[in-house]
Amino acid sequence: MQLDPRPATLGLLLLCAAAAGAGEAEELHYRQGEHRADYDREALLGGQEEVDEYVKLSPEEQHKRLKSIIKKIDLDSDGFLTESELSSWIQMSFKHYAMQEAKQQFIEYDKNNDGSVSWDEYNIQMYDRVIDFDENTALDDAEEESFRQLHLKDKKRFEKANQDSGPGLNLEEFIAFEHPEEVDYMTEFVIQEALEEHDKNGDGFVSLEEFLGDYRRDPTANEDPEWILVEKDRFMNDYDKDADGRLDPQELLSWVVPNNQGIAQEEALHLIDEMDLNSDRKLSEEEILENQDLFLTSEATDYGRQLHDEYFYHDEL
């Protein structure tokens, strides 16, 4: 088939636009070197409308809901928030909002409102039409062929998520399709897909060379570029846990699956560093309320959004 290149081209344009706008966003985020908490709040609440809704809460209601959230983060009810408790809460928040987003997408994709999303409906939502590729026929145009490969991978993941072999995905299956890293029965598929892409010699592992992909050192250069040094360090210190020079399937999983644990730990440490007034490496309710604005512009409250979500501040979580 002759593929309309617009979807792939659009993706490339979006990536380029994102890269071009990164510098401008950084300037807005850190104006004259000073961090702007209001930028965080607007960006992560979703826009000015959501920020306005946040501001509408009275100080008393903000205080009440924040105290409820603090109580829920304090898993052992000892009156203090530790790095571990803060990190666990932030990771839970990440997962909650990912699931909420998938549920909203499910409604948008289910065009005929029959409670399931078919492969055709997925295509129509994504590309405004149904696309069907021949699995065994490569396309001459490199960009079109790249899109064909991505589309076929999506179709395989869609089929794997469809546990009951019905005509479409129910909500649970759709979540598995959108977030395979969150669903146990998709783990093996994620590993195999990664091996197919990166394990060039078919030995069931990913070597450092395979990890780096098509990179080849410039014979005239004295050393590798900075980004290669960074990637080599990640391979050796973050992923290759047994230090055998290759990634086994479980180590590979830690590379290919988005892992919010590190982000959550970093934010937890940042909050303790900034708010721990007595240097005991944990936060009391008093310390948090003393610096309430910092806590409400952090990932611990999803930049204040949790104060508008009963899932977080209601007495029963």
Side-chain angles (χ1 to χ4, degrees):
M1 62 171 282
Q2 179 63 33
L3 171 65
D4 181 345
R6 285 176 295 174
T9 304
L10 176 61
L12 292 172
L13 289 173
L14 289 174
L15 287 173
C16 292
E24 180 182 351
E26 188 70 9
E27 290 180 10
L28 291 171
H29 195 183
Y30 291 92
R31 183 167 292 163
Q32 296 180 339
E34 294 294 323
H35 177 258
R36 289 180 55 215
D38 60 320
Y39 180 91
D40 282 337
R41 189 177 292 165
E42 182 171 339
L44 283 123
L45 286 176
Q48 188 59 46
E49 182 178 345
E50 287 78 4
V51 173
D52 291 342
E53 180 63 27
Y54 168 83
V55 172
K56 287 178 185 177
L57 284 180
S58 68
E60 294 77 14
E61 186 62 23
Q62 281 192 26
H63 191 79
K64 177 183 175 182
R65 294 186 185 184
L66 179 56
K67 290 181 71 172
S68 177
I69 288 172
I70 293 170
K71 184 178 179 181
K72 294 183 190 304
I73 299 174
D74 183 14
L75 295 175
D76 59 8
S77 303
D78 67 348
F80 298 95
L81 306 188
T82 63
E83 175 197 338
S84 176
E85 288 171 330
L86 284 164
S87 177
S88 295
W89 177 266
I90 293 168
Q91 290 178 70
M92 182 275 293
S93 174
F94 287 156
K95 182 173 182 177
H96 170 73
Y97 284 116
M99 296 302 101
Q100 291 301 104
E101 181 182 4
K103 289 176 183 178
Q104 182 59 41
Q105 287 179 320
F106 181 82
I107 295 172
E108 296 169 359
Y109 284 50
D110 181 14
K111 301 299 184 183
N112 61 3
N113 299 312
D114 67 347
S116 68
V117 173
S118 68
W119 178 241
D120 285 355
E121 287 175 322
Y122 172 77
N123 275 264
I124 291 170
Q125 177 67 25
M126 289 292 292
Y127 311 112
D128 293 326
R129 67 196 189 285
V130 177
I131 297 174
D132 184 26
F133 287 108
D134 184 341
E135 293 185 14
N136 301 313
T137 304
L139 301 177
D140 294 333
D141 183 87
E143 188 175 298
E144 293 181 1
E145 174 59 16
S146 177
F147 177 70
R148 184 185 78 95
Q149 293 289 342
L150 291 172
H151 191 265
L152 290 174
K153 285 183 178 180
D154 277 354
K155 187 174 183 181
K156 285 176 62 178
R157 191 171 77 254
F158 190 96
E159 292 170 348
K160 179 65 177 180
N162 189 2
Q163 281 194 300
D164 60 12
S165 300
L169 305 183
N170 60 33
L171 177 57
E172 290 72 22
E173 292 168 337
F174 184 77
I175 289 174
F177 170 68
E178 288 290 325
H179 297 280
E181 72 278 2
E182 301 289 355
V183 181
D184 288 342
Y185 77 83
M186 294 293 288
T187 300
E188 186 62 30
F189 173 82
V190 171
I191 292 173
Q192 289 304 314
E193 188 175 54
L195 285 172
E196 287 176 10
E197 181 173 354
H198 301 287
D199 178 22
K200 302 303 182 183
N201 63 6
D203 66 351
F205 299 88
V206 173
S207 66
L208 175 59
E209 182 180 356
E210 291 169 332
F211 176 82
L212 295 175
D214 295 330
Y215 170 73
R216 297 293 181 271
R217 178 189 283 186
D218 182 347
T220 64
N222 293 325
E223 60 180 21
D224 291 320
E226 179 65 24
W227 73 269
I228 285 293
L229 298 177
V230 170
E231 290 302 302
K232 286 183 176 180
D233 180 75
R234 289 174 61 210
F235 180 92
M236 293 183 290
N237 296 313
D238 294 343
Y239 306 131
D240 186 14
K241 300 300 184 183
D242 58 9
D244 66 350
R246 60 185 188 175
L247 305 184
D248 63 33
Q250 286 305 310
E251 292 169 332
L252 183 62
L253 193 63
S254 69
W255 171 38
V256 299
V257 171
N259 185 352
N260 291 316
Q261 182 177 355
I263 299 172
Q265 288 177 336
E266 183 178 336
E267 179 71 357
L269 286 171
H270 168 68
L271 288 172
I272 291 174
D273 287 342
E274 294 293 327
M275 303 175 69
D276 177 21
L277 301 178
N278 61 1
S279 301
D280 62 355
R281 304 306 298 163
K282 53 190 177 182
L283 301 180
S284 66
E285 181 180 282
E286 290 73 23
E287 287 172 322
I288 293 171
L289 296 178
E290 177 74 19
N291 205 344
Q292 177 174 313
D293 283 347
L294 176 59
F295 203 71
L296 290 176
T297 53
S298 74
E299 286 162 339
T301 61
D302 199 41
Y303 301 82
R305 183 159 63 155
Q306 291 176 8
L307 272 69
H308 296 275
D309 190 336
E310 288 190 12
Y311 180 85
F312 293 97
Y313 71 77
H314 194 268
D315 287 340
E316 296 296 330
L317 181 62

